[in-house]
Amino acid sequence: MFFVLLPCLAITGYYIINWLIHHPKIDQYTKRYVLITGCDTGFGNLLAKRLDGLGFHIFAGCLTKAGEQELDYSTSDNLKTLALDVAKLESIQNAYDFVLANIPNDCGLWGLVNNAGMSCPLGPAEWLRVEQYQEVLSVNLFGMVEMTRVFFPLLKKAGVARIVNMSSTLGLLSISGIGPYCISKHGVEAYSDCLRRQLYKTNIKVSMIEPSGFRTNIVDKENESLRGSYSTEPEMTAGAAGTSYINKEVMNEMHSRISPNLSLVVDAYEHALTAKVPKSRYLVGDLSNDVYFVKLFAFVVPTWIADAILPCPFYTSK
């Protein structure tokens, strides 16, 4: 009985201590400034509105004019939109100049949220060119790196600050057919770990958001990308593997299990920005797409078993 009770007490104690550490919140939201990238739609858009409602001052970076107009119309004067393409250094520098001109001289940047991202193009490895990998990396990884580098002086000026980076469960467990995206998110994991450890003894905290599948505009673009590949690429022979083609039934079945509950990710973002002691990682999912399944396969299940159970979801060779 004792040997059963002891592990239960240890696990219960761990969760109680974890809750006590991460539950307390900061105050004075109205004196804090946060910059968010990728606010046109999806998580970034919802987070900007959430933080605006809490009283934060928000700089919302948008790729499109339509995104800026929608946020300008639906939020308070505490939120300022700006044009921002994280794949272009000139755009990042212009954003820095804009923030510097619109933030009090005695105030730094409380939070930098590197939310902007893209997943396309997708498809079999033999269909994708190196430029297509570079396109995804330029936004998901290198854009994050440049944003952090350029805005670091304002984060340091604040004294106490947060950097929150959008990663993915696919930064923990790669699935073929989504190569550029997986590579970029593995890079985000490595970069964020390096940055967090570099800043460990400072008051600048680094967190990663690691969502499973959620139904944002990225999913619609994935469908378009895959269907486009299927319709435009000639059938390609890859040695003994034979002809590769998109398995549209599998693709549609996987997308049907993607969660529409975007608020789960926004909640994680909010906690990373408002908790006195934020978590290093926020693994976010729901029961239809269990993130702990990903963690099991990423860190516990032997590779040869994972390879047998997790074939490419989107295409088939025959």
Side-chain angles (χ1 to χ4, degrees):
M1 181 66 178
F2 175 77
F3 293 106
V4 175
L5 184 60
L6 186 60
C8 292
L9 290 174
I11 293 171
T12 302
Y14 166 79
Y15 281 104
I16 291 174
I17 293 171
N18 189 63
W19 183 85
L20 290 173
I21 291 173
H22 297 295
H23 181 68
K25 298 292 185 71
I26 62 169
D27 54 13
Q28 298 182 321
Y29 294 169
T30 56
K31 296 182 180 180
R32 302 181 191 271
Y33 290 76
V34 177
L35 169 62
I36 309 169
T37 67
C39 292
D40 298 79
T41 60
F43 303 132
N45 183 276
L46 294 174
L47 177 63
K49 293 174 180 176
R50 172 84 65 89
L51 295 182
D52 177 56
L54 291 174
F56 282 90
H57 293 271
I58 308 299
F59 296 105
C62 296
L63 186 62
T64 66
K65 199 65 180 176
E68 291 186 62
Q69 291 171 346
E70 190 273 332
L71 277 174
D72 286 334
Y73 177 79
S74 59
T75 57
S76 75
D77 292 339
N78 283 341
L79 187 147
K80 298 184 184 298
T81 59
L82 61 149
L84 178 56
D85 182 349
V86 300
K88 297 178 180 178
L89 179 56
E90 181 182 3
S91 180
I92 293 174
Q93 189 61 56
N94 289 339
Y96 177 82
D97 294 339
F98 179 88
V99 171
L100 196 61
N102 287 276
I103 198 170
N105 291 332
D106 60 344
C107 185
L109 198 61
W110 164 256
L112 170 62
V113 180
N114 287 306
N115 171 78
M118 63 180 294
S119 63
C120 302
L122 308 179
E126 63 267 31
W127 289 4
L128 299 175
R129 300 179 301 278
V130 69
E131 312 90 76
Q132 295 174 297
Y133 285 84
Q134 290 169 338
E135 182 183 5
V136 178
L137 287 164
S138 69
V139 175
N140 294 359
L141 179 57
F142 302 138
M144 177 182 296
V145 171
E146 280 297 289
M147 283 293 300
T148 304
R149 182 187 68 82
V150 170
F151 282 90
F152 194 80
L154 283 178
L155 294 164
K156 189 175 180 180
K157 185 178 180 180
V160 180
R162 305 291 164 79
I163 300 171
V164 188
N165 293 335
M166 173 55 80
S167 183
S168 169
T169 52
L170 292 178
L172 304 173
L173 180 69
S174 296
I175 299 177
S176 58
I178 321 177
Y181 185 78
C182 291
I183 291 168
S184 72
K185 293 304 182 181
H186 276 270
V188 169
E189 293 279 327
Y191 174 70
S192 300
D193 282 343
C194 291
L195 187 63
R196 188 184 64 254
R197 288 162 187 159
Q198 173 191 327
L199 300 174
Y200 181 76
K201 294 183 178 181
T202 74
N203 288 319
I204 301 176
K205 305 302 180 185
V206 180
S207 298
M208 277 182 282
I209 311 297
E210 300 169 328
S212 57
F214 285 87
R215 189 167 296 283
T216 65
N217 282 10
I218 284 180
V219 174
D220 296 329
K221 291 178 181 178
E222 286 177 358
N223 281 324
E224 293 172 8
S225 173
L226 287 164
R227 290 192 177 103
S229 296
Y230 183 76
S231 62
T232 61
E233 288 285 344
E235 291 189 331
M236 300 179 69
T237 301
T243 302
S244 296
Y245 64 95
I246 297 297
N247 188 329
K248 289 187 285 187
E249 290 182 4
V250 173
M251 178 187 75
N252 292 334
E253 193 275 331
M254 284 192 67
H255 282 159
S256 71
R257 292 188 280 113
I258 291 175
S259 173
N261 191 6
L262 305 189
S263 64
L264 293 175
V265 176
V266 179
D267 289 344
Y269 265 138
E270 180 187 332
H271 187 275
L273 290 164
T274 61
K276 286 186 177 180
V277 182
K279 300 177 182 179
S280 298
R281 284 180 163 79
Y282 292 83
L283 201 60
V284 188
D286 62 18
L287 293 177
S288 67
N289 198 346
D290 192 356
V291 292
Y292 294 100
F293 167 85
V294 175
K295 210 165 186 179
L296 177 70
F297 271 80
F299 301 113
V300 178
V301 174
T303 301
W304 66 271
I305 295 178
D307 290 347
I309 297 175
L310 298 172
C312 175
F314 295 131
Y315 78 100
T316 304
S317 294
K318 68 174 183 179

